[in-house]
Amino acid sequence: MEVWLRTWAILWKDILIEVRTKGTFNAMAFFAALILFIFSFAIGPDFDLLRRIAAGLLWVGITFTGLLALARTYHSEELAGGLEALLLYPGEPRAIFLGKLVGNLAVLLLVEVILYPVAAVLFHMDLTGKILPVAGIAFLGTLGFSVIGTFYAALTLHLRAREVMLPLLVLPLLVPVLLGAVSATAALVDPAAAGGVAGWVRLLIAFDVLYFVVCTWTFPVLLER
Amino acid sequence: MTELTASPRLKGWHRLLAFLAVATTVVGSIIGLFVVPPDAMQGNVQRLMYLHVPAAWLAFLAFFIVFVMAVLYLIQRDPRWDMIAAGSAEIGVLFTALTLILGSLWGKPIWGVWWTWDPRLTTTAILLVIYVGYLAVRSFAADPERRARWSAVVGIVGFADVPIVYLSVTWWRSLHQPPSSPMSMAPSMLWTLMLNVVAFTLLFGYLLVRKYQVAVAERALEDREAMR
Amino acid sequence: MAADPALRLQGVGKRFGRTWALRSVDLEVQPGQLVALIGPNGAGKTTLLKAVGGLHRATTGTTEVLGFTLPEDEDMVRVHSTLLPPHGYLYEQLTGLENLRFARLMAGVRPSRRELDAALERVDLVEAGDERVGGYSSGMKKRLAIARLLLRPVELVLMDEPYASLDAGGIDLVDTIIGELRGSGATVLVASHRWERAIREADRLVVMERGRITWTGTPGEWMEKREGPADTRRGRSEARGADEGDTGTGG
């Protein structure tokens, strides 16, 4: 009970702050769409090619935008004086992780709500009748991304050169998530793509569960001062 | 704080370890280079395997030790576990890099390219990046206690990724071509390989002991500087 | 033998990178005592309070707080103690009320509006309760932090620079609050650069310098020592550190 109240406290507070400084979210979503545009220019107007690599381009866009969002995970605490601001109160430290995780997940999913239609238009991805499965894959991938990212954002918070360290640490770990999300999405939207979806879904679920447990379990270690 | 001094008893057996490591490495190399016949298909290039496979084994062993030491450190908070983890990670990165270089040297004549997205090669490359990250975290954290804590976490989370990365890369490749299968080997080749694995493991053990001793000395110096 | 001390520190040291913020600090405080910590910036007062409150883990030594051992019982110590941080730890995009509500939720309690209003009233902030903290003056922020401190009744209260950036009314308020806390039987540790009433009337004065406790006694003894003709430079410089400036940044 107390854990959920604390989780809710973090989430509620971050949502309020995010809404009151909404410029950041808009800029982030715009940036994400811009990346997809740049890809189209870099690759050229070959629609067969674009359609074939659409899932990959889309997830590279999500990854870059996601890294921006993740770096801001503890921004409100930094302004308030540091992660210590959350240690003034007794209670389960893992609730802090849960609250921040749900917040990051929500922000990324919102970005994707904008990004998927843009990608569908730019890359001629056919999403009709496949919206639910595609959204499911996006959710599983984004969850894994957010778990790892929320965790490492706390770790790199007080590290020198953290702008570089966050992607350096997070990207190699996310290889299975990217492979899974891209391959499964491609298999769904591109009839010519090889491979099934079920295996990748199982892999994404395994990744999400494993890292949710490992990161939740070790998170208190990152809060020690 | 725990008093950090290398036990004097260590010196006797680490000399023995050094001798065994050098001796088996020399014998293993000679047998691998001159005694065992060359591979029927690949010729002399195949001899790289006697280095490549032990190096790859060591890389995984080293990172497994980092993982175990990280868990122990987080439970007991004894700086010695952290020092062993650090030493093991450095040696592991070295051998991972060696594995990749040997793999691509072998790949050039056999596959005709320096690099291919073979699942094992790809996983090893990702492994290298993960543990370079581990070493980077260590170098960017000034406080020894924080450094130990943060790197322990990186060591645990990173190691958990290894099987998933391997699995995912294998599936990803299998969409396009079957993964390279382990070749069947003549008994003489297998024995030479085993000998080299033992030699490399001894070498690893010796390097780790030395690394640990250096870490203890460095830590003592760091502590003394901080006391001023 | 008296009851267990509220605080027992033995050889406590805290290291940040290459520097030691605390070096082998021994301190015992009996329950219900008011202890004042003074000393120049960088003396280790803030680090000591954070170590006692379970926010910092000591590098060396043993720390027992209210019968709990740190760091093992960190959370129990946090349950029974509360800290007034020097920098507030307030969210500027939230209103005063929202900041208090957040503090209650984080402590695992769903607060009633009445409870939060009462807390604001206590520090004279009712009118500003619905304004964002970003628009507060530094004195108002300090008052809000004090209101947050009082939300949870606890046995051990740690205050870091409570007087900093407050006007005369605010200083009186802090003195009154410390008096009430004392009356309720709580143990209170106050680190301050300012020689206000609660410091003058403390049961014990602890002087810190460069991470060490250099002197303990009563405030009266300290004044005598400081003004006595026998003691010259050193005593004076410490005393100056004790009553000069209210920059709000503790050691």
Side-chain angles (χ1 to χ4, degrees), chain B residues 1 77 142-146 219 222-223 225-228, chain C residues 14-20 23 57 59-61 210 212:
Chain B
M1 201 184 300
R77 302 302 167 108
D143 184 78
E145 192 270 334
R146 285 184 168 193
R219 178 66 182 265
E222 216 173 41
D223 284 350
E225 271 175 15
M227 279 319 280
R228 267 196 236 127
Chain C
K14 174 67 186 176
R15 177 176 167 180
F16 294 106
R18 286 172 181 273
T19 51
W20 288 86
R23 299 162 191 251
R57 287 190 173 192
T59 314
T60 60
R210 298 198 53 200
R212 290 196 175 84

Side-chain angles (χ1 to χ4, degrees), chain C residues 42-113:
Chain C
K45 305 188 297 288
T46 297
T47 311
L48 181 65
L49 289 181
K50 285 181 177 173
V52 168
L55 265 73
H56 279 336
R57 287 190 173 192
T59 314
T60 60
T62 55
T63 316
E64 282 169 47
V65 180
L66 303 167
F68 300 105
T69 310
L70 287 172
E72 290 81 5
D73 302 324
E74 228 165 45
D75 206 47
M76 287 315 286
V77 170
R78 263 185 238 146
V79 168
H80 294 285
S81 72
T82 175
L83 172 80
L84 176 74
H87 303 298
Y89 293 149
L90 298 163
Y91 297 99
E92 306 222 324
Q93 291 92 347
L94 300 186
T95 66
L97 260 174
E98 283 163 350
N99 265 289
L100 294 186
R101 189 173 139 77
F102 174 69
R104 285 318 272 152
L105 288 171
M106 281 299 281
V109 180
R110 215 181 268 282
S112 66
R113 177 68 198 240

Side-chain angles (χ1 to χ4, degrees), chain B residues 116-181:
Chain B
T116 170
W117 295 99
D118 169 74
R120 268 173 282 175
L121 207 54
T122 310
T123 306
T124 312
I126 294 168
L127 211 59
L128 181 69
V129 186
I130 291 178
Y131 285 92
V132 165
Y134 174 93
L135 294 182
V137 167
R138 293 194 72 88
S139 70
F140 282 132
D143 184 78
E145 192 270 334
R146 285 184 168 193
R147 185 202 301 143
R149 198 150 44 79
W150 292 343
S151 62
V153 169
V154 175
I156 291 171
V157 175
F159 190 75
D161 208 35
V162 175
I164 311 188
V165 167
Y166 182 72
L167 193 68
S168 63
V169 176
T170 309
W171 283 358
W172 175 59
R173 287 309 299 158
S174 69
L175 299 180
H176 308 266
Q177 66 173 58
S180 64
S181 58

Side-chain angles (χ1 to χ4, degrees), chain C residues 204-224:
Chain C
R204 190 137 65 102
L205 189 70
V206 173
V207 181
M208 294 189 72
E209 214 176 329
R210 298 198 53 200
R212 290 196 175 84
I213 293 181
T214 49
W215 190 89
T216 63
T218 63
E221 286 167 2
W222 175 252
M223 292 300 281
E224 254 171 56

Side-chain angles (χ1 to χ4, degrees), chain B residues 86-103:
Chain B
S88 194
E90 281 180 35
I91 305 171
V93 165
L94 184 74
F95 278 98
T96 313
L98 189 66
T99 308
L100 284 175
I101 293 168
L102 291 172

Side-chain angles (χ1 to χ4, degrees), chain B residues 36 73 89 93 146 155 185 187 195:
Chain B
V36 181
Y73 176 80
V93 165
R146 285 184 168 193
M185 261 185 284
L195 179 66

